[in-house]
Amino acid sequence: MSELAIDTATAACAVALRVNGQTFCHAPAPGRMLERPAHAKELLPAIEGLCSESRTDLAELSAIAVGIGPGAFTGLRIGVSTARAIATANGLGLVPVSSLETLVAGGGTERTVIAMIDARRNEIFYRVGEGPDSLATPAETLSLARDAVARGPVLAVGDGALKIREQLLEVGADVPPSDDDRHVVSGSVMLDIAASRTTLAPEGVTPNYIRAPDAKVSSRESWLVESGAK
Amino acid sequence: MSADMRTILAIETSCDDTCAAVVTEDGVVHSNLIASQMDHDRFGGVVPEVASRRHLELLDGVVGAALADADVSLAEVDAVAATRGPGLIGALLVGFSYAKALASTAGLPLVPVDHLQGHVSANFLHPSVFDPPFVCLVASGGHTFLARVEQRHGYEILGATTDDAAGEAFDKGARLLGLGYPGGAALDQLASTGDANAIDFPRTYVGDLDFSFSGIKTSLLYKLKALPDGDFESAKADLAASYQSAVVEMLVKRIEQAVQRTGIDRVAIGGGVAANSLLRRRVTELGVEVKVPPRSLCTDNAAMIGSAAFAISPLQPGQYSELDAYPSGSPIAV
Ligand SMILES: [Zn+2]
């Protein structure tokens, strides 16, 4: 039994490999979330590193889980594309797991956990406990946090929570310091979630983008728009 | 398929076509799948984020179909090749990440390929293999350059566009003439019904052997704006014919000069613009040996990436894990 989990929704490249119950993790320091993502360079070496550490053949996996976001689009696609290729070469399916759900689960069960992933452009992907994955402005997520605090203790995690940490503390939510592991998606927690989930055909697993693509045309056609010909 | 022949599975996702192919080192194309994304038409151009999303949706199916069409399994493949750049970075990373992970899992070597080298290497494929030396014009919606090709890997850039690509000049012209996007083929067709000498367009020659197409497209815009109301329909075909003729003349002139300069009287033409009927005709009139690969090998495709891969030493598992894609530049051009 060897199960692989990959998540690239944030700048932190999370990978875990569980071999006969023993879990090997590539867990970047929480500070990495605030840096530029480098999944193209980091993901495959991390996977291969865990394989050699655990003496597992990448071609002999028994299950693969992949984080489908929401998060930064290009990073998500690197993770999903990589997971699909490994699954296809193994003749396996894939288990999609919400990156926000993994963050919530990593926050424990004593408090209401709000997971937040920075969506840039002054927006935040968030999930309150077992609620749906959503997108809102920082002001909206703050008011959600305030409502949750009125009902009981609240823990906010994720790079989105770090972005508005001071305001979250002001409304009474607990936000661990930026070097706390709970801010990073955990591959090990993902594997726990994936264990009870349905496996899908690899091509059926796509990122949960939430946000529609920008209709910004690449340089090819920008001239027409500028010239007023369009 | 002969067992002692190296077989490559190639993947190309640099722009808006999701491509996979299986080729053998004798230049035989066993499969060449191209899933063209039609979603961009309504935007009037390629939207990078839309292209990247579609690549991810289409890639598994396209790769699976390329293997199935060639009747090979992944276990029978000797190496995986993939476009590393240049192109839209988000689009490149879908295919390149997939190729890296597929090769690593299957324990196969990976060959990272430069997209422009791919266009040059399309000439080494069946049905008509064209060997160096030759002068190569690659003109598409994304790139326009003229190269001197002396061996099967690497090339010397003799000239390149300083602004738009030739394919853009056609597409933008077509759009101004109300022919939709991408409208290169429609422009070609409309031009065949018009008079190429009816309207005067400027020919621009910049640098040594470089190209510039921004002047001619601005000229078309002004001519259209100056057109009296109601005259558009009757003038359309002549405008198309004259515009196309001017763009083609600029390309052919540079090819002619490159042949003179290098003393190599063999010419290959690639890229989507190679489908233009006037360009094909005018180049054959130069009196040199001309090779134009079939359309499926001229436009972006993965067979050309596989073809290029045979002349590049493959990276073994462990050597390519950290490789990133690159959006611009061409590190192998000399
Ligand atoms: Zn191209």
Side-chain angles (χ1 to χ4, degrees):
Chain A
M1 288 291 281
S2 45
E3 296 135 6
L4 176 72
I6 295 170
D7 189 284
T8 54
T10 66
C13 180
V15 186
L17 184 59
R18 188 168 290 166
V19 185
N20 299 322
Q22 190 187 353
T23 308
F24 299 82
C25 282
H26 171 85
R32 280 297 310 278
M33 277 186 316
L34 308 171
E35 292 170 20
R36 276 179 65 82
H39 299 302
K41 284 185 183 145
E42 196 179 337
L43 179 60
L44 191 57
I47 296 168
E48 291 170 345
L50 294 183
C51 282
S52 63
E53 197 187 321
S54 63
R55 298 174 189 280
T56 304
D57 189 339
L58 191 50
E60 286 168 7
L61 297 173
S62 44
I64 304 166
V66 65
I68 54 164
F73 300 155
T74 296
L76 271 179
R77 277 189 290 265
I78 292 170
V80 171
S81 200
T82 298
R84 280 191 188 179
I86 297 172
T88 299
N90 271 286
L92 291 173
L94 273 178
V95 182
V97 177
S98 154
S99 306
L100 286 169
E101 181 182 4
T102 305
L103 277 174
V104 166
T109 51
E110 295 106 67
R111 294 176 281 185
T112 297
V113 182
I114 304 181
M116 298 182 183
I117 291 176
D118 185 6
R120 284 169 238 177
R121 290 188 226 158
N122 203 32
E123 286 186 306
I124 292 173
F125 294 120
Y126 74 92
R127 178 185 183 115
V128 184
E130 290 177 0
D133 293 353
S134 318
L135 179 67
T137 62
E140 285 160 343
T141 55
L142 274 174
S143 107
L144 282 162
R146 195 180 288 112
D147 295 348
V149 167
R151 295 191 300 269
V154 169
L155 173 70
V157 294
D159 60 354
L162 288 175
K163 248 196 149 155
I164 52 167
R165 182 161 190 257
E166 294 309 315
Q167 296 98 304
L168 283 166
L169 291 173
E170 271 169 37
V171 303
D174 180 19
V175 186
S178 60
D179 61 354
D180 192 290
D181 284 342
R182 285 172 290 179
H183 289 303
V184 184
V185 175
S186 157
S188 176
V189 171
M190 247 181 100
L191 285 172
D192 296 338
I193 295 173
S196 60
R197 292 287 161 83
T198 321
T199 302
L200 304 179
E203 65 268 26
V205 175
T206 45
N208 179 19
Y209 296 107
I210 296 188
R211 190 188 268 152
D214 265 349
K216 204 179 96 208
V217 169
S218 79
S219 60
R220 256 203 203 178
E221 280 288 310
S222 51
W223 169 79
L224 279 173
V225 181
E226 286 156 25
S227 68
K230 192 178 149 261
Chain B
M1 198 176 304
S2 150
D4 54 0
M5 191 96 67
R6 278 199 297 159
T7 303
I8 281 186
L9 167 67
I11 293 171
E12 144 70 39
T13 61
S14 66
C15 190
D16 58 347
D17 294 319
T18 314
C19 316
V22 173
V23 291
T24 42
E25 66 182 317
D26 54 0
V28 174
V29 180
H30 297 271
S31 63
N32 190 20
L33 277 281
I34 302 169
S36 290
Q37 304 178 2
M38 307 309 281
D39 328 33
H40 303 281
D41 297 19
R42 64 198 165 99
F43 298 114
V46 176
V47 184
E49 178 57 23
V50 172
S52 302
R53 290 186 183 191
R54 289 294 284 155
H55 280 307
L56 189 62
E57 287 163 20
L58 295 166
L59 188 58
D60 291 87
V62 170
V63 170
L67 289 169
D69 274 17
D71 200 19
V72 288
S73 67
L74 190 57
E76 292 168 293
V77 164
D78 295 297
V80 177
T83 306
R84 190 180 171 198
L88 302 170
I89 190 67
L92 284 164
L93 280 169
V94 173
F96 199 60
S97 303
Y98 192 92
K100 275 169 57 179
L102 193 70
S104 175
T105 311
L108 292 173
L110 179 86
V111 189
V113 176
D114 182 83
H115 179 82
L116 305 182
Q117 174 71 59
H119 278 299
V120 171
S121 299
N123 293 292
F124 311 146
L125 293 169
H126 282 275
S128 50
V129 177
F130 198 57
D131 261 311
F134 56 79
V135 165
C136 187
L137 171 76
V138 175
S140 73
H143 20 262
T144 297
F145 67 95
L146 201 49
R148 173 194 190 123
V149 182
E150 300 272 12
Q151 66 268 319
R152 283 206 169 195
H153 182 242
Y155 49 86
E156 179 195 353
I157 297 274
L158 300 170
T161 185
T162 54
D163 39 60
D164 290 344
E168 277 182 283
F170 281 130
D171 285 341
K172 288 175 179 178
R175 195 174 171 96
L176 288 174
L177 291 167
L179 302 173
Y181 171 90
L187 182 86
D188 194 355
Q189 201 157 25
L190 179 62
S192 68
T193 66
D195 176 3
N197 298 312
I199 296 141
D200 200 28
F201 278 103
R203 272 76 164 157
T204 318
Y205 298 99
V206 295
D208 206 14
L209 283 173
D210 290 332
F211 303 91
S212 169
F213 299 105
S214 62
I216 188 167
K217 116 204 131 171
T218 309
S219 170
L220 176 61
L221 179 68
Y222 285 135
K223 284 189 199 318
L224 284 168
K225 279 185 172 163
L227 216 56
D229 285 345
D231 284 11
F232 177 65
E233 283 308 319
S234 57
K236 218 160 86 167
D238 286 350
L239 279 166
S242 303
Y243 180 81
Q244 172 176 266
S245 166
V247 173
V248 167
E249 192 182 309
M250 286 189 268
L251 292 169
V252 174
K253 182 103 188 151
R254 285 315 203 193
I255 295 173
E256 198 174 9
Q257 290 169 328
V259 166
Q260 280 165 5
R261 186 83 53 88
T262 59
I264 301 170
D265 57 357
R266 308 176 77 231
V267 174
I269 300 179
V273 173
N276 183 275
S277 60
L278 181 65
L279 176 66
R280 294 175 90 114
R281 196 164 70 239
R282 296 295 292 278
V283 172
T284 51
E285 288 165 6
L286 286 176
V288 296
E289 195 183 345
V290 177
K291 161 80 185 293
V292 185
R295 188 172 161 73
S296 62
L297 298 176
C298 278
T299 54
D300 286 353
N301 66 89
M304 71 182 196
I305 301 302
S307 175
F310 286 112
I312 303 167
S313 23
L315 298 172
Q316 297 306 314
Q319 293 181 320
Y320 51 79
S321 315
E322 290 186 26
L323 230 49
D324 204 346
Y326 55 87
S328 57
S330 179
I332 54 109
V334 285

